[in-house]
Amino acid sequence: MQNIVIFGGVFDPPHLGHLSIYKAVSSHINVDKFIIVPSKNPPLKSYKPTATALDRINMLKLMFKQYKNVSVDGREALNKSNSVSYTINTLRHFHTKYPKARLYIVVGTDRYVDFKEWKSWQEILKLAKLIVVKRSDDKIKTTIPATLITINPVPISSSSLRILPNIKYLDKHVCAYIASHGLYINNQIRPIMSKKRYDHTLRVTKLALEITTVINKKLLSQCYIAAMYHDVAKEFNDKKVLSLVVKYDHQRFPTIHTLHGMASAQYIKRFFNVEDPMVLNAIANHVVPPKKPTILDMIIYCADKLEPARSIKDVSHRLDYIKLAKRNLKSAYIKLYQETNAHYN
């Protein structure tokens, strides 16, 4: 008889704590199949996932790639309806698919304590055996039959990893996926920006994406990431900026203020694991552009200078510049650079 373990959760993002649960269960019973089922709308949580269903599935597949008995099932997460994800429905499916198998479901102590609130909880216990993963200091007061497995928990939560994707608690492939797909950027930048700076960032991003959609759609993902991160260090104090940018061309960057683009690039590389050189350069160059800017450099520079809150004192004929940027980006960039640069000379 096959042992099939079903492990549900939001996994937003999946982290090494989830991996430790798989290992703990695998060391306790002989697991033939370990099926991970990311949910869409958990019934006992008000939280709705930040990352898309496909992104969460992809991250899980990356983290568990080397474990041959693990699969990721998207039936809940990819369900087109907005219905709640009930465990009983998923269990009925697997019971029908594997009628001769012994089914298990894995839960934490928080879900074990409220287990009688689950839909059709008594039927769940008829279809599957319950495995509860607990910490050594967890006090459990319930009589529901279950196998208890004690683990040393990873001291992290998915919610904190959405704010700071710490490589210590994330699989390296998941970490790279988060950075390259721009996941959780809102979670990351909102706590370190004033509302004014955050609103400016959103306007710049919207305009940058408009221009990129016309100029080169292949750059949309990189454009989004660069625009959202471009002013991360704008409100940092001088000491913090200089701690991020140790070496720089003093002639090109005559004041600390002009370094915030370079500081932003260094900050997201260090704390948000962004490695894409095109993105990092576009952010670093948006204050003082290089002599030979890339397309992304020009898009971020133009969007920053032409976003809707800019007044005629900042730039003349803003709307004309935007129209020109969509027709001829380089021409718009050169004219805009000449005008804005003249303000500081």
Side-chain angles (χ1 to χ4, degrees):
M1 182 178 288
Q2 280 191 321
N3 290 326
I4 299 178
V5 178
I6 300 163
F7 182 28
V10 181
F11 306 110
D12 191 25
H15 54 71
L16 297 185
H18 299 127
L19 181 60
S20 70
I21 290 173
Y22 162 74
K23 291 180 177 179
V25 172
S26 297
S27 66
H28 194 83
I29 64 172
N30 180 35
V31 179
D32 295 292
K33 294 181 186 293
F34 192 94
I35 305 173
I36 303 175
V37 186
S39 60
K40 184 173 186 178
N41 294 317
L44 298 179
K45 290 185 178 181
S46 58
Y47 170 77
K48 289 191 176 182
T50 301
T52 67
L54 187 58
D55 283 329
R56 289 182 289 128
I57 288 170
N58 287 340
M59 287 188 284
L60 282 165
K61 287 181 177 179
L62 286 171
M63 188 166 76
F64 286 94
K65 184 177 181 180
Q66 64 177 302
Y67 302 98
K68 302 304 180 184
N69 65 340
V70 177
S71 62
V72 182
D73 189 290
R75 71 184 50 260
E76 290 185 13
L78 294 173
N79 190 330
K80 292 183 179 180
S81 74
N82 202 35
S83 59
V84 173
S85 302
Y86 288 115
T87 299
I88 185 60
N89 295 332
T90 300
L91 266 180
R92 286 168 181 163
H93 163 79
F94 287 117
H95 179 70
T96 301
K97 185 174 182 178
Y98 303 106
K100 295 182 180 181
R102 182 185 292 111
L103 298 181
Y104 295 83
I105 58 170
V106 181
V107 300
T109 53
D110 54 343
R111 298 281 72 91
Y112 183 48
V113 170
D114 63 24
F115 189 74
K116 289 186 178 181
E117 297 178 33
W118 291 31
K119 181 180 180 181
S120 305
W121 67 271
Q122 292 169 316
E123 185 183 351
I124 290 175
L125 293 178
K126 291 179 180 178
L127 295 179
K129 295 179 179 295
L130 198 58
I131 296 176
V132 179
V133 177
K134 64 182 285 289
R135 296 172 298 187
S136 58
D137 58 346
D138 282 339
K139 305 298 182 183
I140 300 176
K141 297 179 180 180
T142 181
T143 58
I144 297 171
T147 299
L148 303 182
I149 299 177
T150 302
I151 64 170
N152 293 319
V154 175
I156 201 67
S157 65
S158 290
S159 58
S160 61
L161 289 170
R162 290 192 291 272
I163 297 172
L164 186 65
N166 193 330
I167 189 67
K168 182 179 178 181
Y169 302 112
L170 288 168
D171 173 85
K172 64 180 182 179
H173 301 295
V174 171
C175 210
Y177 187 95
I178 290 171
S180 64
H181 287 74
L183 302 187
Y184 313 120
I185 291 183
N186 270 306
N187 302 75
Q188 294 164 5
I189 69 173
R190 192 64 191 90
I192 56 177
M193 284 185 178
S194 67
K195 185 179 185 305
K196 179 181 178 181
R197 184 55 41 194
Y198 179 71
D199 289 344
H200 162 76
T201 296
L202 295 183
R203 291 191 298 267
V204 170
T205 301
K206 183 175 183 295
L207 179 55
L209 291 174
E210 285 180 14
I211 295 171
T212 305
T213 299
V214 176
I215 297 298
N216 189 339
K217 288 184 178 180
K218 292 181 180 180
L219 293 176
L220 280 172
S221 178
Q222 291 167 302
C223 170
Y224 170 75
I225 296 169
M228 288 293 285
Y229 282 135
H230 84 281
D231 263 359
V232 161
K234 180 66 181 271
E235 296 170 316
F236 290 175
N237 60 40
D238 291 357
K239 183 179 180 180
K240 191 168 184 177
V241 168
L242 290 174
S243 71
L244 291 163
V245 186
V246 179
K247 294 181 180 180
Y248 63 95
D249 183 340
H250 290 261
Q251 187 173 358
R252 182 183 174 193
F253 301 98
T255 65
I256 299 296
H257 171 77
T258 59
L259 285 174
H260 77 263
M262 289 188 67
S264 295
Q266 289 301 316
Y267 187 88
I268 68 167
K269 183 176 182 180
R270 183 182 303 179
F271 295 103
F272 300 146
N273 312 301
V274 178
E275 297 287 347
D276 187 332
M278 185 178 290
V279 169
L280 294 173
N281 286 335
I283 294 169
N285 293 330
H286 88 270
V287 183
V288 182
K291 292 181 179 179
K292 295 182 178 180
T294 65
I295 292 176
L296 191 58
D297 289 345
M298 291 188 284
I299 290 172
I300 301 302
Y301 182 87
C302 289
D304 183 44
K305 300 297 185 291
L306 298 173
E307 62 101 337
R310 299 294 189 188
S311 68
I312 195 168
K313 292 181 180 179
D314 299 312
V315 60
S316 66
H317 309 295
R318 187 182 69 84
L319 295 179
D320 291 336
Y321 272 123
I322 293 174
K323 290 178 182 178
L324 180 59
K326 293 177 180 180
R327 292 198 315 270
N328 189 326
L329 176 63
K330 188 172 183 179
S331 177
Y333 162 77
I334 291 172
K335 290 182 178 180
L336 182 60
Y337 174 74
Q338 289 172 344
E339 178 179 336
T340 55
N341 192 50
H343 292 172
Y344 303 101
N345 295 325

